[in-house]
Amino acid sequence: GEGSPSVASDSMASALREEFMPMRKLIASDDAEGMRERLDTDPRLLHLATPLGGWLHMAASSGATRCAEELLRRGVDVNGRYDSQLGGALNEAANSGDLEMVNLLLASGAVPDTSHTDVNPVFSAIRAERTDIAERLVDAGLDPHVEYQKGWTAARYAEEQGKAEMARFVRELGS
């Protein structure tokens, strides 16, 4: 559907190969104008899935706020998933420790995914050692006390990672 990643046909796979590096470079430099020109020239590129997820995933992990804003303005699904192993763009932003991007994505309707520890953005905030991001996610409605298999929680993960301060902080969140 609109805003969803598309399965690449042979012609799309060819377009992907030709456009992947130029788009990646534009995103890496947060060149929204250059990206806008490229997408105006070939609108099919907007919803391409890449080996690294969608363009919004790349923008979120690169801190490319202007590119992310442009992609969202063009209708890219803020909660789009391109691979079961990849969390959404929100998880990428939390993993990168980018509070500005987290705020942009939440304001655009991102819903924190807590279906698995690998995609839970609080776990990413713990890895990035960003209490501000963990707190923002909880303020947006994420339950920091979700329990996974064998009693695994965000606080327990922080302890296992040797991050006692983060573990204490996460335990107190949402209480």
Side-chain angles (χ1 to χ4, degrees):
E2 189 64 31
S4 299
S6 57
V7 176
S9 65
D10 288 343
S11 65
M12 288 297 278
S14 175
L16 172 59
R17 281 191 295 278
E18 292 172 21
E19 294 297 335
F20 177 74
M21 287 310 296
M23 283 288 285
R24 188 171 178 192
K25 287 177 182 171
L26 291 168
I27 290 168
S29 61
D30 200 13
D31 181 355
E33 185 56 40
M35 187 182 69
R36 189 175 302 117
E37 290 171 14
R38 196 165 282 281
L39 291 171
D40 286 346
T41 302
D42 188 353
R44 298 174 309 158
L45 296 173
L46 184 62
H47 298 292
L48 278 182
T50 78
L52 302 176
W55 304 127
L56 186 59
H57 285 79
M58 280 190 225
S61 65
S62 304
T65 307
R66 292 190 324 259
C67 285
E69 288 169 341
E70 179 64 20
L71 291 165
L72 291 165
R73 187 184 69 72
R74 288 176 179 259
V76 169
D77 181 1
V78 71
N79 293 303
R81 296 284 296 275
Y82 291 82
D83 184 302
S84 62
Q85 297 303 309
L86 291 173
L90 183 60
N91 192 46
E92 294 294 323
N95 196 51
S96 297
D98 188 341
L99 181 60
E100 180 183 7
M101 185 68 72
V102 166
N103 284 329
L104 169 66
L105 297 170
L106 288 170
S108 299
V111 176
D113 183 352
T114 60
S115 63
H116 189 274
T117 59
D118 290 343
V119 298
N120 182 330
V122 167
F123 283 70
S124 295
I126 290 167
R127 280 190 291 280
E129 298 190 53
R130 294 294 300 266
T131 55
D132 56 342
I133 291 175
E135 187 169 31
R136 178 67 183 94
L137 292 164
V138 171
D139 289 346
L142 186 146
D143 177 1
H145 308 295
V146 174
E147 192 169 315
Y148 299 95
Q149 282 184 310
K150 300 176 184 166
W152 202 245
T153 64
R156 183 170 165 205
Y157 172 76
E159 286 170 350
E160 295 281 331
Q161 297 298 307
K163 300 175 188 209
E165 287 298 315
M166 282 297 295
R168 258 191 302 286
F169 183 80
V170 170
R171 249 190 217 94
E172 294 169 6
L173 279 174
S175 299

